[in-house]
Every structure is written in structure tokens, then in C-alpha cells.
Amino acid sequence: MTKSIIITHSYHHRNTQKIAAAIAAIMDATLVEIKEDLTLNLDEYELFGFGAGIDGGKHYPEMLAYVTTFPSVQNKKAFIFSTSATFSEKRMPGEHKALRDLLQAKGFVIVGEFGCKGFTTRSIFNWVGGANKGHPNVDDLINAERFAERIKLD
Ligand SMILES: Cc1cc2nc3c(=O)[nH]c(=O)nc-3n(C[C@H](O)[C@H](O)[C@H](O)COP(=O)(O)O)c2cc1C
């Protein structure tokens, strides 16, 4: 049985879901999306991935709210990923901070973080036909696969 699970919220253009699928294929992870009736038995998994688009400089509020409902855990690993309009390696740690802080407060050990640009038609970007067309692109998916290889369970 797989011991890795990836939990996503990806509604704008399904950008983060593409990254999640690439990572899940490498780690043979279960892939689930946040919805009202999503209940998980955390005991079944060792490694947890959390991925969503970025809204207002943080992961989507639905992701932050979902993690808030978790009980405290012990000996569980987690990784964080996102796609965003203005992604850069420099900005990513700040954009992941809210989710990272929540997960660490629950007892998760963070084993890696990944991000890339995602296509957006949000507000002003829509006036010019969207930004980051084609992202996540092939290179983004290859980078996601390399990330997954580095952090997957033995
Ligand atoms: C409501 C909303 C707010 C957003 N806020 C930000 C933001 O603060 N910073 C940013 O870089 N991108 C922002 N974006 C762009 C998305 O993060 C980006 O397009 C992402 O790839 C969408 O992921 P998804 O397709 O998985 O939902 C926003 C998009 C939406 C819909």
C-alpha cells in the first residue's frame, strides 16, 4: 500500500494539479483534492504533500483551513508545493510560510518545498490575455519530478 499522499486545491486553471500528478507518479502517491467530505486517516501515511495555488501571497484559504482541522501528528513528513503568477525561488519561502507554520505547529517535519509559475487570468492579467502562458510547462514538470525523486520515501 502506498504510504504517500498528496492533498491539493487547484481551481484557477488546474496548474497545481498538473504538478501534483507529476509528483504522485514518481512517488506512487495517493492523490486527493480538498472538498467538504474529505476525511483522511492520517495514520495510513508517512509522507504528506500539500499543494495549491497562491492567493494574496499564501496558499489558497481552503488549504490553510483544511490543515487547521488536522490533529497533532508524530513522525510524519510533509512537503509543500505551489504554482503562482509571480513565482520565483526567492519569493517562494515567503509564500509558503503560512502553510509551513501550520504544518510545523501540527508536528509535521518539512522535507522539501517546490514551486513554479502557473498560468493566470486573475484581475489585471486577464486584460492582456493572461500571464505565464503554457505554465506549468515541460521543464516545470521535469523539475517537479526531480524534486519528487529527492524526497520520496525509500
Ligand atoms: C483569487 C486568486 C488570487 C491570486 N493571488 C495571487 C497572488 O497573490 N500571487 C500570485 O503570484 N498569484 C496569484 N494568483 C495566481 C495563481 O496563484 C496562479 O495562477 C496559480 O497557478 C493557480 O493555481 P491553480 O490553477 O492550481 O488554482 C491568484 C489567482 C487567483 C484565482
Side-chain angles (χ1 to χ4, degrees), residues 69-129:
T69 67
F70 278 15
S72 293
V73 298
Q74 281 186 322
N75 303 319
K76 304 283 186 199
K77 296 176 183 175
F79 64 93
I80 298 172
F81 59 104
S82 64
T83 61
S84 59
T86 58
F87 170 80
S88 73
E89 291 291 344
K90 203 171 164 192
R91 291 176 68 95
M92 184 178 75
E95 291 174 338
H96 286 188
K97 183 177 188 305
L99 181 55
R100 187 190 313 115
D101 286 353
L102 272 177
L103 289 168
Q104 287 177 328
K106 296 289 182 185
F108 285 95
V109 175
I110 309 296
V111 295
E113 302 192 22
F114 177 84
C116 69
K117 287 182 182 172
F119 177 59
T120 184
T121 48
R122 169 80 171 151
S123 74
I124 55 165
F125 296 117
N126 203 21
W127 305 345
V128 291

Side-chain angles (χ1 to χ4, degrees), residues 9-18 52-58 60 82-87 91 95 116-122 125 131-132 135-136:
H9 189 57
S10 174
Y11 71 87
H12 185 38
H13 288 284
R14 304 289 284 167
N15 297 326
T16 318
Q17 201 62 27
K18 291 178 190 142
I54 296 293
D55 175 351
K58 304 173 182 179
Y60 287 149
S82 64
T83 61
S84 59
T86 58
F87 170 80
R91 291 176 68 95
E95 291 174 338
C116 69
K117 287 182 182 172
F119 177 59
T120 184
T121 48
R122 169 80 171 151
F125 296 117
N132 303 331
H135 285 275

